[in-house]
Amino acid sequence: MSGAASVAASGRSLQAVTVLGATGSIGSSTLDVLARNSARYEVFALTANTRVEAMESLCRQHRPRFAVMQDEAAAEQLRARLADLPQTQVMQGVEGLCRVAGDAAADVVVAGIVGAAGLLPTLAAVDAGKRVLLANKEALVMTGDLLTSRAKAAGARLLPVDSEHNALFQCMPQTAEGTSLDGVSRLLLTASGGPFRGRTAAQLADVTPAQAVAHPNWSMGRKISVDSATLMNKGLELIEACFLFAVPASRIDVVVHPQSIIHSLVSYRDGSVLAQLGNPDMRTPIAHALAWPERIDAGVAPLDLFEVAQLNFERPDTVNFPCLRLAREAVDAGGTATAVLNAANEVAVAAFLDGNAGFMTIPATIEHCLGALPVRPADTLDAVLEADAQARECAAAFLA
Ligand code: NDP
Ligand code: MG
């Protein structure tokens, strides 16, 4: 264990955890698991963007050494509100986020910021060789091999928190480094199908943001909920799986499984198929990644198979939900194409949530940007950031 982890009364050292995106859905599930396991973990730092009130209450509850607000004015307000809590130092901006992600005293970093905003802090954690619990899939989709090779070089342990990838991780052959592909023929990525499964493109044209964020099985942030409704979440996850496990997209199938009980499966050359099952609750993959290779309590109710009764499977509909097809095309194109796909999606989803674009404008925007922008090698951070900026401009112009 790295850093200045303190020593518990039992004599066992506590692992110091930085939670990036503490006020979000992943952040709150993480803090719940940490609180249940306070004999193993202590909260080192919490971060958020603008939500000062939520952050104040988390700081009072968890007493972190550092609290970071990305937004400068929000940091100022938090500092004033926490004047009576001298043990918590308030910092701000991307520098503050990167500082607590890479701090020598942090052992574990939970990457729970949504979107490209999570990239630099996640990279800071990776470069500092931390155990990085990756929820922020957009960071990996943008950078691909760049992130995984930097993790390798720095000795960082990248553990998937995304439930499907955590399931794949659990079902793949385990090695000291994580997983191998020995004997593996295919990865089967499950998808709930989202709130609009079964609808046609015409029926999807005028769905509202409120309908799109009402996911049938999972309670999540707004952006990922829209991604689940368009199937772009599965597209991003397909790309995530390619980079995490060094598998080509042609060896990954997406299986729609509306109950969200099987979180993904691994098919082996001898005909065996291993699956990971559980109630749809992010505390399970978070607890798994926190403690791996050990197991800890997550507060999740045991799975009642008699209650579940049925597990169903369907092929994904890539005609009415083009985002999954676009993600396959982007990962096959390689280089900066996945960064372009991600940025165009973020801009279009924000426009949809703000009521400035229709639901089917999301895939149209992404398809336009993928066609309009050149694919360059994604071998440096600058190349990725440039592709991200160009795609944001291109998407904004298309939407205007
Ligand atoms: P939420 O919207 O619930 O939370 C996002 C968090 O990021 C909040 O703490 C927010 O702060 C912070 N944040 C937002 N923008 C910025 C910014 N510009 N700079 C710094 N911090 C920022 O998202 P989720 O928890 O749902 O998702 C987080 C990530 O995890 C996403 O990448 C998602 O795809 C992934 N994921 C989520 C799952 C889930 O069940 N929720 C499942 C699998 C993956 P503030 O509150 O101040 O706005
Ligand atoms: Mg997922």
Side-chain angles (χ1 to χ4, degrees):
M1 187 189 304
S2 67
S6 55
V7 177
S10 65
R12 182 172 188 165
S13 22
L14 290 175
Q15 294 189 49
V17 183
T18 287
V19 185
L20 301 171
T23 48
S25 163
I26 289 291
S28 101
S29 294
T30 301
L31 289 168
D32 181 277
V33 176
L34 295 177
R36 285 169 195 280
N37 294 278
S38 57
R40 289 179 71 121
Y41 305 102
E42 65 183 353
V43 175
F44 174 70
L46 298 177
T47 84
N49 186 20
T50 55
R51 294 204 299 136
V52 175
E53 225 175 280
M55 188 61 151
E56 179 190 356
S57 104
L58 292 181
C59 289
R60 295 199 180 280
Q61 205 181 331
H62 298 281
R63 308 281 163 138
R65 284 254 305 277
F66 297 100
V68 186
M69 301 303 294
Q70 202 283 134
D71 182 78
E72 208 167 304
E76 196 78 11
Q77 289 173 31
L78 186 67
R79 219 169 269 129
R81 282 169 180 254
L82 294 181
D84 64 323
L85 218 70
Q87 70 266 48
T88 299
Q89 188 185 331
V90 178
M91 298 193 295
Q92 65 213 22
V94 178
E95 313 74 49
L97 298 174
C98 292
R99 159 101 197 270
V100 296
D103 195 297
D107 301 298
V108 180
V109 176
V110 179
I113 293 174
V114 60
L119 174 58
L120 295 180
T122 302
L123 264 181
V126 160
D127 288 341
K130 304 299 180 195
R131 174 186 280 243
V132 180
L133 273 53
L134 188 73
N136 180 214
K137 62 192 87 181
E138 296 92 342
L140 184 59
V141 167
M142 293 170 74
T143 51
D145 295 335
L146 189 64
L147 188 92
T148 52
S149 60
R150 274 166 78 154
K152 210 172 205 174
R157 172 88 69 187
L158 211 51
L159 289 160
V161 160
D162 211 348
S163 56
E164 296 77 2
H165 306 75
N166 185 268
L168 293 171
F169 183 94
Q170 294 197 47
C171 297
M172 285 167 79
Q174 303 277 319
T175 67
E177 276 69 50
T179 57
S180 86
L181 287 167
D182 284 349
V184 171
S185 51
R186 303 188 71 74
L187 304 183
L188 310 178
L189 199 60
T190 53
S192 69
F196 303 138
R197 184 172 59 89
R199 295 205 195 183
T200 63
Q203 292 169 326
L204 289 168
D206 51 7
V207 297
T208 65
Q211 292 169 320
V213 301
H215 196 279
N217 305 341
W218 296 95
S219 155
M220 309 181 287
R222 282 161 69 77
K223 190 263 179 182
I224 184 177
S225 296
V226 175
D227 287 345
S228 299
T230 59
L231 286 200
M232 180 49 96
N233 184 48
K234 215 45 57 181
L236 297 175
E237 291 184 353
L238 173 82
I239 300 168
E240 183 184 9
C242 292
F243 292 133
L244 270 178
F245 303 118
V247 180
S250 58
R251 278 176 69 187
I252 305 176
D253 297 320
V254 172
V255 180
V256 174
H257 162 49
Q259 292 91 355
S260 298
I261 295 295
I262 298 181
H263 299 302
S264 279
L265 315 89
V266 176
S267 183
Y268 285 84
R269 60 193 295 188
D270 64 4
S272 299
V273 179
L274 303 191
Q276 187 261 355
L277 285 74
N279 285 315
D281 187 322
M282 288 307 293
R283 290 177 300 175
T284 294
I286 290 167
H288 174 268
L290 269 172
W292 180 83
E294 294 171 36
R295 297 271 177 176
I296 56 173
D297 290 338
V300 177
L303 180 64
D304 182 345
L305 283 174
F306 301 107
E307 174 87 8
V308 173
Q310 276 197 30
L311 300 174
N312 298 85
F313 306 98
E314 296 168 10
R315 286 182 203 285
D317 172 359
T318 52
V319 175
N320 293 296
F321 297 84
C323 287
L324 183 55
R325 166 180 62 81
L326 294 171
R328 266 197 198 276
E329 287 172 11
V331 75
D332 287 344
T336 51
T338 56
V340 168
L341 171 103
N342 178 67
N345 181 56
E346 283 192 28
V347 172
V349 169
F352 170 70
L353 283 171
D354 289 342
N356 296 326
F359 187 76
M360 293 309 288
T361 309
I362 299 171
T365 308
I366 300 163
E367 185 142 36
H368 169 77
C369 294
L370 283 173
L373 296 172
V375 178
R376 301 217 165 87
D379 49 0
T380 65
L381 183 58
D382 283 346
V384 170
L385 294 177
E386 193 186 322
D388 175 85
Q390 282 181 347
R392 279 169 203 276
E393 255 177 52
C394 181
F398 180 78
L399 287 164

